[in-house]
Amino acid sequence: MYTRYDGILYQMRGDHSATGPFAPAIGILQKRGGMVRMSQALKLGISRRSLYGMRDAGIIQPLGRGLYRLSAAAPLANPDLVTVATRVPRGVVCLISALAYHDLTTEIPHEVQMAIERGSERPRIKYPPTRFFWFSGAAFSEGVETHTLDGVAVRIYSPEKTVADCFRYRNKLGLDVCLEALKTWRERRHKNLDVLVRYSHQLRVERTLRPYLQVLL
């Protein structure tokens, strides 16, 4: 594949290696999984001019404000979660988004739901649609798992923590969503009842969750 920028012919080979003025920058992006934020690119030695030049030549594509990805890279399997996690690396995927990741719901997420630490400024993300929830203390820091999606580290609450969180937000999510998640979790081979009870106690939803749990058990 060929493209031209500033009168210079630029070639992308079939193996996604490159020749031309942007070859060093392409190599840096490839080592990072093909995705980079503007601030990261500058720290890695990629100039704004090179970044904008690659964008204008179609070598990289914007995924959101200040976030770019190599156009020749394979399609993302989890584009929304990866995009938001890259923009908000300290955030944690939660509630319905986490249920969907763990296959604990039949709900189709129409937005990425992410927890951020109370006191943090709300991140500005136009796309994908994102809804933030402010968690504090142990409610924010505990139960976090790190999963590698499309080469990006994405922080997601564990199944047990997510079920407890959903009961905490049952008035916003709907009790039916919570009960479906609890029932599906109960049918899992790998689960930890003690951990679920601990999180439900920590989040002060144990008295609400326990009767439903006893029926399922």
Side-chain angles (χ1 to χ4, degrees):
M1 180 176 69
Y2 292 87
T3 188
R4 186 177 295 276
Y5 180 74
D6 268 6
I8 300 175
L9 189 64
Y10 175 89
Q11 180 183 8
M12 286 293 292
R13 299 194 182 101
D15 60 359
H16 296 170
S17 61
T19 62
F22 300 127
I26 291 288
I28 293 174
L29 265 67
Q30 288 175 330
K31 290 179 180 179
R32 298 183 61 85
M35 186 181 300
V36 71
R37 298 173 65 185
M38 170 70 79
S39 58
Q40 294 171 331
L42 297 176
K43 291 179 181 179
L44 293 169
I46 303 175
S47 67
R48 291 179 183 270
R49 186 175 187 278
S50 293
L51 204 63
Y52 292 146
M54 289 190 291
R55 179 200 62 189
D56 294 343
I59 298 163
I60 60 175
Q61 57 184 345
L63 294 182
R65 185 173 178 270
L67 179 63
Y68 300 92
R69 185 171 187 267
L70 286 173
S71 300
L76 294 173
N78 299 275
D80 290 351
L81 295 185
V82 167
T83 298
V84 177
T86 303
R87 294 287 306 279
V88 192
R90 289 295 303 163
V92 188
V93 176
C94 66
L95 301 175
I96 291 180
S97 294
L99 289 180
Y101 176 79
H102 293 301
D103 292 323
L104 291 173
T105 184
T106 56
E107 294 282 318
I108 299 176
H110 297 293
E111 61 186 8
V112 175
Q113 296 183 343
M114 175 166 279
I116 57 177
E117 193 165 15
R118 189 174 300 281
S120 302
E121 182 179 352
R122 186 185 188 282
R124 292 178 293 175
I125 298 179
K126 292 184 178 180
Y127 189 85
T130 307
R131 185 178 181 185
F132 293 101
F133 296 82
W134 279 262
F135 287 18
S136 61
F140 174 75
S141 61
E142 291 194 18
V144 179
E145 300 177 343
T146 300
H147 299 269
T148 300
L149 308 182
D150 298 309
V152 175
V154 180
R155 288 154 51 88
I156 306 174
Y157 284 120
S158 69
E160 288 79 7
K161 175 62 160 55
T162 299
V163 170
D165 280 335
C166 287
F167 271 88
R168 181 187 180 194
Y169 285 90
R170 62 190 180 280
N171 291 334
K172 293 185 178 181
L173 304 180
L175 185 58
D176 56 335
V177 172
C178 303
L179 295 179
E180 179 192 30
L182 181 61
K183 181 179 179 181
T184 305
W185 171 85
R186 170 65 184 83
E187 295 169 351
R188 291 286 174 85
R189 183 174 183 179
H190 300 289
K191 56 184 177 295
N192 193 318
L193 177 59
D194 291 338
V195 171
L196 175 61
V197 172
R198 177 166 64 84
Y199 285 136
S200 67
H201 177 74
Q202 181 185 88
L203 298 172
R204 300 180 180 179
V205 295
E206 184 178 6
R207 295 178 65 179
T208 301
L209 186 151
R210 187 176 289 277
Y212 297 108
L213 188 59
Q214 290 175 339
V215 170
L216 292 175
L217 292 176

